Amino acid sequence: MKLYEYQGKELFNKYNISTPHGRLISNEKEFTGLSFPLMLKAQVPIGGRGKAGGIKLTKDITDATKTLTNIMGMNIKGYTVEKVLAEEKVDIEKEFYLSITLDRTKQMPLLMISAEGGVDIESVPDHKIHSEWINPLIGIQPFNLRQIMDHFPVDKTAYKNFCKIISKLYALFREYDCELVEINPLVITKNNDIIALDSKISINDDALFRHQDITAEHTESTPLEKEAKEKNISFIQLDGNIGVIANGAGLTMATLDALTHYHGKGGVFLDLGGTDDPEKVIQAFELMKKAKPSVIFLNLFGGITKCDTVAKGVKSFIEKEGIECPVVARIKGMNEKNAKVILKDAGLITATTLQDAAKQCSTLVGGK
Ligand code: GDP
Ligand code: MN
């Protein structure tokens, strides 16, 4: 489960990791008692809010009231903003990146730190990220801190403070059964304080029962994901523009990988599972249509699922409801010939291989 920034910061405070002063607000009356300049930060459980316009600096109450109206209800990557965190503006001297994740291959927590903070960590070159694996049996040790900090560009005082923060963050990571704790940016202020300006925390769903203090408030799913859950369909929203409908988790993942390979980006994916029930297929397309992808990639492998039954479902949906974007179908398995005829008849683009289909989808949305 992903926490909101404000929930993550509450945990940081519990572990004595400093965060800017501020509070959660939902209307302009709640500005009372806060001092300007003030940062207004949209609360959605996803990163990249800054770029999406969900983080704004306001200089006075008039400015803040106007900005709050703009941010409230804003849609950020499928999430509607219902809460805003209002925080004192921090004067940043330097931004850093700090995180702990679980490295499943090494079966150890992985600590990462970088002097290139405040940007997407994926865009930071590997040699600028320092990594250190922590043996979970003995926990974080002084040598781990030396390994990771010895070549880090900060002075002695900051060095010591960073070490303290890393240890506290590790304690939080373990005690809250986290899959990820990330501070990006962790900043040194003009007054030489070290403050966590952002928080990103993800807790292992299977351990949530141990953390009753944080479960209650949370809503992680987007409205469409919630609707899908009610209909028993696995549906996940991502930030690309290609909608994927496949059957089985493995095939769905392989489809997303194939799209990435051809420089396309999966936007939503929907796993039909082992069903060929036309009613389910129609529901799947209804959801997909609401997600407004630029192209839909239907990738079906019919082992038990009958391809032609699915194709009939698709056709009847398109005839009844219509669909605005192109649909590329790659369909293999039981009764595939019939299925292809039906799909072509419904106006779909049919491809023979996964590669071919992925390439066509990516080209349609302007990938290479
Ligand atoms: P994200 O875009 O979802 O990761 O949201 P962040 O909380 O990380 O904010 C994005 C960026 O806004 C940060 O990297 C900072 O550069 C900037 N920012 C956020 N809060 C403050 C602040 O209090 N003072 C200043 N100067 N910049 C801020
Ligand atoms: Mn951030």
mmCIF file with all atom_site columns, all heavy atoms in Angstrom, residues 211-228:
data_model
loop_
_atom_site.group_PDB
_atom_site.id
_atom_site.type_symbol
_atom_site.label_atom_id
_atom_site.label_alt_id
_atom_site.label_comp_id
_atom_site.label_asym_id
_atom_site.label_entity_id
_atom_site.label_seq_id
_atom_site.pdbx_PDB_ins_code
_atom_site.Cartn_x
_atom_site.Cartn_y
_atom_site.Cartn_z
_atom_site.occupancy
_atom_site.B_iso_or_equiv
_atom_site.pdbx_formal_charge
_atom_site.auth_seq_id
_atom_site.auth_comp_id
_atom_site.auth_asym_id
_atom_site.auth_atom_id
_atom_site.pdbx_PDB_model_num
ATOM 1   N N   . HIS A 1 211 ? -0.262  -2.867 11.259  1.00 0.00 ? 211 HIS A N   1
ATOM 2   C CA  . HIS A 1 211 ? -0.087  -1.408 11.346  1.00 0.00 ? 211 HIS A CA  1
ATOM 3   C C   . HIS A 1 211 ? -1.421  -0.690 11.266  1.00 0.00 ? 211 HIS A C   1
ATOM 4   O O   . HIS A 1 211 ? -1.679  0.086  10.356  1.00 0.00 ? 211 HIS A O   1
ATOM 5   C CB  . HIS A 1 211 ? 0.870   -0.936 10.256  1.00 0.00 ? 211 HIS A CB  1
ATOM 6   C CG  . HIS A 1 211 ? 2.134   -1.714 10.239  1.00 0.00 ? 211 HIS A CG  1
ATOM 7   N ND1 . HIS A 1 211 ? 3.055   -1.622 11.251  1.00 0.00 ? 211 HIS A ND1 1
ATOM 8   C CD2 . HIS A 1 211 ? 2.605   -2.648 9.390   1.00 0.00 ? 211 HIS A CD2 1
ATOM 9   C CE1 . HIS A 1 211 ? 4.055   -2.455 11.010  1.00 0.00 ? 211 HIS A CE1 1
ATOM 10  N NE2 . HIS A 1 211 ? 3.803   -3.091 9.889   1.00 0.00 ? 211 HIS A NE2 1
ATOM 11  N N   . GLN A 1 212 ? -2.262  -0.995 12.246  1.00 0.00 ? 212 GLN A N   1
ATOM 12  C CA  . GLN A 1 212 ? -3.614  -0.432 12.277  1.00 0.00 ? 212 GLN A CA  1
ATOM 13  C C   . GLN A 1 212 ? -3.587  1.092  12.276  1.00 0.00 ? 212 GLN A C   1
ATOM 14  O O   . GLN A 1 212 ? -4.529  1.726  11.835  1.00 0.00 ? 212 GLN A O   1
ATOM 15  C CB  . GLN A 1 212 ? -4.364  -0.920 13.525  1.00 0.00 ? 212 GLN A CB  1
ATOM 16  C CG  . GLN A 1 212 ? -4.522  -2.426 13.604  1.00 0.00 ? 212 GLN A CG  1
ATOM 17  C CD  . GLN A 1 212 ? -5.459  -2.982 12.548  1.00 0.00 ? 212 GLN A CD  1
ATOM 18  O OE1 . GLN A 1 212 ? -6.328  -2.281 12.066  1.00 0.00 ? 212 GLN A OE1 1
ATOM 19  N NE2 . GLN A 1 212 ? -5.265  -4.237 12.166  1.00 0.00 ? 212 GLN A NE2 1
ATOM 20  N N   . ASP A 1 213 ? -2.513  1.694  12.773  1.00 0.00 ? 213 ASP A N   1
ATOM 21  C CA  . ASP A 1 213 ? -2.440  3.150  12.873  1.00 0.00 ? 213 ASP A CA  1
ATOM 22  C C   . ASP A 1 213 ? -2.512  3.835  11.509  1.00 0.00 ? 213 ASP A C   1
ATOM 23  O O   . ASP A 1 213 ? -2.894  4.992  11.415  1.00 0.00 ? 213 ASP A O   1
ATOM 24  C CB  . ASP A 1 213 ? -1.160  3.597  13.605  1.00 0.00 ? 213 ASP A CB  1
ATOM 25  C CG  . ASP A 1 213 ? 0.116   2.995  13.015  1.00 0.00 ? 213 ASP A CG  1
ATOM 26  O OD1 . ASP A 1 213 ? 0.036   1.881  12.463  1.00 0.00 ? 213 ASP A OD1 1
ATOM 27  O OD2 . ASP A 1 213 ? 1.168   3.654  13.097  1.00 0.00 ? 213 ASP A OD2 1
ATOM 28  N N   . ILE A 1 214 ? -2.170  3.145  10.444  1.00 0.00 ? 214 ILE A N   1
ATOM 29  C CA  . ILE A 1 214 ? -2.177  3.842  9.156   1.00 0.00 ? 214 ILE A CA  1
ATOM 30  C C   . ILE A 1 214 ? -3.162  3.298  8.130   1.00 0.00 ? 214 ILE A C   1
ATOM 31  O O   . ILE A 1 214 ? -3.371  3.909  7.116   1.00 0.00 ? 214 ILE A O   1
ATOM 32  C CB  . ILE A 1 214 ? -0.780  3.844  8.502   1.00 0.00 ? 214 ILE A CB  1
ATOM 33  C CG1 . ILE A 1 214 ? -0.152  2.483  8.681   1.00 0.00 ? 214 ILE A CG1 1
ATOM 34  C CG2 . ILE A 1 214 ? 0.076   4.958  9.031   1.00 0.00 ? 214 ILE A CG2 1
ATOM 35  C CD1 . ILE A 1 214 ? 1.114   2.358  7.910   1.00 0.00 ? 214 ILE A CD1 1
ATOM 36  N N   . THR A 1 215 ? -3.781  2.180  8.409   1.00 0.00 ? 215 THR A N   1
ATOM 37  C CA  . THR A 1 215 ? -4.634  1.590  7.374   1.00 0.00 ? 215 THR A CA  1
ATOM 38  C C   . THR A 1 215 ? -5.897  2.405  7.098   1.00 0.00 ? 215 THR A C   1
ATOM 39  O O   . THR A 1 215 ? -6.293  2.546  5.956   1.00 0.00 ? 215 THR A O   1
ATOM 40  C CB  . THR A 1 215 ? -5.059  0.151  7.723   1.00 0.00 ? 215 THR A CB  1
ATOM 41  O OG1 . THR A 1 215 ? -5.415  0.138  9.088   1.00 0.00 ? 215 THR A OG1 1
ATOM 42  C CG2 . THR A 1 215 ? -3.959  -0.821 7.439   1.00 0.00 ? 215 THR A CG2 1
ATOM 43  N N   . ALA A 1 216 ? -6.484  2.958  8.139   1.00 0.00 ? 216 ALA A N   1
ATOM 44  C CA  . ALA A 1 216 ? -7.826  3.518  8.034   1.00 0.00 ? 216 ALA A CA  1
ATOM 45  C C   . ALA A 1 216 ? -8.000  4.580  6.951   1.00 0.00 ? 216 ALA A C   1
ATOM 46  O O   . ALA A 1 216 ? -8.956  4.540  6.193   1.00 0.00 ? 216 ALA A O   1
ATOM 47  C CB  . ALA A 1 216 ? -8.237  4.077  9.379   1.00 0.00 ? 216 ALA A CB  1
ATOM 48  N N   . GLU A 1 217 ? -7.047  5.512  6.846   1.00 0.00 ? 217 GLU A N   1
ATOM 49  C CA  . GLU A 1 217 ? -7.257  6.687  6.005   1.00 0.00 ? 217 GLU A CA  1
ATOM 50  C C   . GLU A 1 217 ? -7.087  6.451  4.520   1.00 0.00 ? 217 GLU A C   1
ATOM 51  O O   . GLU A 1 217 ? -7.432  7.276  3.709   1.00 0.00 ? 217 GLU A O   1
ATOM 52  C CB  . GLU A 1 217 ? -6.203  7.727  6.397   1.00 0.00 ? 217 GLU A CB  1
ATOM 53  C CG  . GLU A 1 217 ? -6.462  8.279  7.753   1.00 0.00 ? 217 GLU A CG  1
ATOM 54  C CD  . GLU A 1 217 ? -6.089  9.737  7.786   1.00 0.00 ? 217 GLU A CD  1
ATOM 55  O OE1 . GLU A 1 217 ? -6.389  10.430 6.808   1.00 0.00 ? 217 GLU A OE1 1
ATOM 56  O OE2 . GLU A 1 217 ? -5.497  10.139 8.776   1.00 0.00 ? 217 GLU A OE2 1
ATOM 57  N N   . HIS A 1 218 ? -6.507  5.320  4.204   1.00 0.00 ? 218 HIS A N   1
ATOM 58  C CA  . HIS A 1 218 ? -5.931  5.235  2.878   1.00 0.00 ? 218 HIS A CA  1
ATOM 59  C C   . HIS A 1 218 ? -6.869  4.816  1.739   1.00 0.00 ? 218 HIS A C   1
ATOM 60  O O   . HIS A 1 218 ? -7.695  3.953  1.896   1.00 0.00 ? 218 HIS A O   1
ATOM 61  C CB  . HIS A 1 218 ? -4.775  4.253  2.927   1.00 0.00 ? 218 HIS A CB  1
ATOM 62  C CG  . HIS A 1 218 ? -4.044  4.236  1.657   1.00 0.00 ? 218 HIS A CG  1
ATOM 63  N ND1 . HIS A 1 218 ? -4.258  3.267  0.744   1.00 0.00 ? 218 HIS A ND1 1
ATOM 64  C CD2 . HIS A 1 218 ? -3.183  5.110  1.124   1.00 0.00 ? 218 HIS A CD2 1
ATOM 65  C CE1 . HIS A 1 218 ? -3.497  3.543  -0.295  1.00 0.00 ? 218 HIS A CE1 1
ATOM 66  N NE2 . HIS A 1 218 ? -2.840  4.647  -0.082  1.00 0.00 ? 218 HIS A NE2 1
ATOM 67  N N   . THR A 1 219 ? -6.711  5.457  0.604   1.00 0.00 ? 219 THR A N   1
ATOM 68  C CA  . THR A 1 219 ? -7.357  4.985  -0.613  1.00 0.00 ? 219 THR A CA  1
ATOM 69  C C   . THR A 1 219 ? -6.313  5.043  -1.707  1.00 0.00 ? 219 THR A C   1
ATOM 70  O O   . THR A 1 219 ? -5.869  6.100  -2.092  1.00 0.00 ? 219 THR A O   1
ATOM 71  C CB  . THR A 1 219 ? -8.514  5.897  -1.058  1.00 0.00 ? 219 THR A CB  1
ATOM 72  O OG1 . THR A 1 219 ? -7.984  7.199  -1.185  1.00 0.00 ? 219 THR A OG1 1
ATOM 73  C CG2 . THR A 1 219 ? -9.667  5.878  -0.108  1.00 0.00 ? 219 THR A CG2 1
ATOM 74  N N   . GLU A 1 220 ? -5.900  3.902  -2.144  1.00 0.00 ? 220 GLU A N   1
ATOM 75  C CA  . GLU A 1 220 ? -4.820  3.886  -3.117  1.00 0.00 ? 220 GLU A CA  1
ATOM 76  C C   . GLU A 1 220 ? -5.326  3.837  -4.547  1.00 0.00 ? 220 GLU A C   1
ATOM 77  O O   . GLU A 1 220 ? -4.701  4.343  -5.470  1.00 0.00 ? 220 GLU A O   1
ATOM 78  C CB  . GLU A 1 220 ? -3.924  2.680  -2.853  1.00 0.00 ? 220 GLU A CB  1
ATOM 79  C CG  . GLU A 1 220 ? -2.680  2.683  -3.696  1.00 0.00 ? 220 GLU A CG  1
ATOM 80  C CD  . GLU A 1 220 ? -1.872  1.433  -3.470  1.00 0.00 ? 220 GLU A CD  1
ATOM 81  O OE1 . GLU A 1 220 ? -1.961  0.878  -2.370  1.00 0.00 ? 220 GLU A OE1 1
ATOM 82  O OE2 . GLU A 1 220 ? -1.174  1.018  -4.392  1.00 0.00 ? 220 GLU A OE2 1
ATOM 83  N N   . SER A 1 221 ? -6.479  3.198  -4.730  1.00 0.00 ? 221 SER A N   1
ATOM 84  C CA  . SER A 1 221 ? -6.937  2.955  -6.091  1.00 0.00 ? 221 SER A CA  1
ATOM 85  C C   . SER A 1 221 ? -7.495  4.213  -6.739  1.00 0.00 ? 221 SER A C   1
ATOM 86  O O   . SER A 1 221 ? -8.046  5.072  -6.060  1.00 0.00 ? 221 SER A O   1
ATOM 87  C CB  . SER A 1 221 ? -8.037  1.908  -6.077  1.00 0.00 ? 221 SER A CB  1
ATOM 88  O OG  . SER A 1 221 ? -7.634  0.794  -5.360  1.00 0.00 ? 221 SER A OG  1
ATOM 89  N N   . THR A 1 222 ? -7.344  4.314  -8.042  1.00 0.00 ? 222 THR A N   1
ATOM 90  C CA  . THR A 1 222 ? -7.990  5.386  -8.775  1.00 0.00 ? 222 THR A CA  1
ATOM 91  C C   . THR A 1 222 ? -9.466  5.006  -8.899  1.00 0.00 ? 222 THR A C   1
ATOM 92  O O   . THR A 1 222 ? -9.827  3.844  -8.719  1.00 0.00 ? 222 THR A O   1
ATOM 93  C CB  . THR A 1 222 ? -7.385  5.532  -10.184 1.00 0.00 ? 222 THR A CB  1
ATOM 94  O OG1 . THR A 1 222 ? -7.700  4.350  -10.924 1.00 0.00 ? 222 THR A OG1 1
ATOM 95  C CG2 . THR A 1 222 ? -5.878  5.695  -10.138 1.00 0.00 ? 222 THR A CG2 1
ATOM 96  N N   . PRO A 1 223 ? -10.349 5.978  -9.244  1.00 0.00 ? 223 PRO A N   1
ATOM 97  C CA  . PRO A 1 223 ? -11.771 5.632  -9.360  1.00 0.00 ? 223 PRO A CA  1
ATOM 98  C C   . PRO A 1 223 ? -12.021 4.474  -10.330 1.00 0.00 ? 223 PRO A C   1
ATOM 99  O O   . PRO A 1 223 ? -12.837 3.594  -10.050 1.00 0.00 ? 223 PRO A O   1
ATOM 100 C CB  . PRO A 1 223 ? -12.392 6.932  -9.878  1.00 0.00 ? 223 PRO A CB  1
ATOM 101 C CG  . PRO A 1 223 ? -11.468 8.001  -9.399  1.00 0.00 ? 223 PRO A CG  1
ATOM 102 C CD  . PRO A 1 223 ? -10.102 7.403  -9.393  1.00 0.00 ? 223 PRO A CD  1
ATOM 103 N N   . LEU A 1 224 ? -11.279 4.453  -11.439 1.00 0.00 ? 224 LEU A N   1
ATOM 104 C CA  . LEU A 1 224 ? -11.471 3.357  -12.399 1.00 0.00 ? 224 LEU A CA  1
ATOM 105 C C   . LEU A 1 224 ? -10.996 2.026  -11.828 1.00 0.00 ? 224 LEU A C   1
ATOM 106 O O   . LEU A 1 224 ? -11.604 0.982  -12.064 1.00 0.00 ? 224 LEU A O   1
ATOM 107 C CB  . LEU A 1 224 ? -10.724 3.649  -13.707 1.00 0.00 ? 224 LEU A CB  1
ATOM 108 C CG  . LEU A 1 224 ? -11.440 4.531  -14.728 1.00 0.00 ? 224 LEU A CG  1
ATOM 109 C CD1 . LEU A 1 224 ? -10.594 4.695  -15.984 1.00 0.00 ? 224 LEU A CD1 1
ATOM 110 C CD2 . LEU A 1 224 ? -12.794 3.957  -15.109 1.00 0.00 ? 224 LEU A CD2 1
ATOM 111 N N   . GLU A 1 225 ? -9.904  2.077  -11.083 1.00 0.00 ? 225 GLU A N   1
ATOM 112 C CA  . GLU A 1 225 ? -9.411  0.841  -10.463 1.00 0.00 ? 225 GLU A CA  1
ATOM 113 C C   . GLU A 1 225 ? -10.426 0.300  -9.454  1.00 0.00 ? 225 GLU A C   1
ATOM 114 O O   . GLU A 1 225 ? -10.627 -0.900 -9.339  1.00 0.00 ? 225 GLU A O   1
ATOM 115 C CB  . GLU A 1 225 ? -8.051  1.085  -9.780  1.00 0.00 ? 225 GLU A CB  1
ATOM 116 C CG  . GLU A 1 225 ? -6.905  1.206  -10.776 1.00 0.00 ? 225 GLU A CG  1
ATOM 117 C CD  . GLU A 1 225 ? -5.582  1.657  -10.162 1.00 0.00 ? 225 GLU A CD  1
ATOM 118 O OE1 . GLU A 1 225 ? -5.573  2.094  -8.991  1.00 0.00 ? 225 GLU A OE1 1
ATOM 119 O OE2 . GLU A 1 225 ? -4.569  1.598  -10.868 1.00 0.00 ? 225 GLU A OE2 1
ATOM 120 N N   . LYS A 1 226 ? -11.088 1.225  -8.753  1.00 0.00 ? 226 LYS A N   1
ATOM 121 C CA  . LYS A 1 226 ? -12.111 0.807  -7.790  1.00 0.00 ? 226 LYS A CA  1
ATOM 122 C C   . LYS A 1 226 ? -13.278 0.141  -8.510  1.00 0.00 ? 226 LYS A C   1
ATOM 123 O O   . LYS A 1 226 ? -13.778 -0.894 -8.093  1.00 0.00 ? 226 LYS A O   1
ATOM 124 C CB  . LYS A 1 226 ? -12.620 2.027  -7.010  1.00 0.00 ? 226 LYS A CB  1
ATOM 125 C CG  . LYS A 1 226 ? -11.748 2.351  -5.835  1.00 0.00 ? 226 LYS A CG  1
ATOM 126 C CD  . LYS A 1 226 ? -12.376 3.467  -5.017  1.00 0.00 ? 226 LYS A CD  1
ATOM 127 C CE  . LYS A 1 226 ? -11.290 4.312  -4.401  1.00 0.00 ? 226 LYS A CE  1
ATOM 128 N NZ  . LYS A 1 226 ? -11.661 5.710  -4.247  1.00 0.00 ? 226 LYS A NZ  1
ATOM 129 N N   . GLU A 1 227 ? -13.703 0.792  -9.607  1.00 0.00 ? 227 GLU A N   1
ATOM 130 C CA  . GLU A 1 227 ? -14.811 0.246  -10.388 1.00 0.00 ? 227 GLU A CA  1
ATOM 131 C C   . GLU A 1 227 ? -14.458 -1.160 -10.876 1.00 0.00 ? 227 GLU A C   1
ATOM 132 O O   . GLU A 1 227 ? -15.288 -2.077 -10.820 1.00 0.00 ? 227 GLU A O   1
ATOM 133 C CB  . GLU A 1 227 ? -15.087 1.178  -11.585 1.00 0.00 ? 227 GLU A CB  1
ATOM 134 C CG  . GLU A 1 227 ? -16.335 0.804  -12.345 1.00 0.00 ? 227 GLU A CG  1
ATOM 135 C CD  . GLU A 1 227 ? -16.585 1.729  -13.537 1.00 0.00 ? 227 GLU A CD  1
ATOM 136 O OE1 . GLU A 1 227 ? -16.190 2.910  -13.493 1.00 0.00 ? 227 GLU A OE1 1
ATOM 137 O OE2 . GLU A 1 227 ? -17.183 1.229  -14.519 1.00 0.00 ? 227 GLU A OE2 1
ATOM 138 N N   . ALA A 1 228 ? -13.209 -1.325 -11.323 1.00 0.00 ? 228 ALA A N   1
ATOM 139 C CA  . ALA A 1 228 ? -12.762 -2.626 -11.826 1.00 0.00 ? 228 ALA A CA  1
ATOM 140 C C   . ALA A 1 228 ? -12.799 -3.671 -10.713 1.00 0.00 ? 228 ALA A C   1
ATOM 141 O O   . ALA A 1 228 ? -13.228 -4.802 -10.922 1.00 0.00 ? 228 ALA A O   1
ATOM 142 C CB  . ALA A 1 228 ? -11.352 -2.508 -12.387 1.00 0.00 ? 228 ALA A CB  1
#
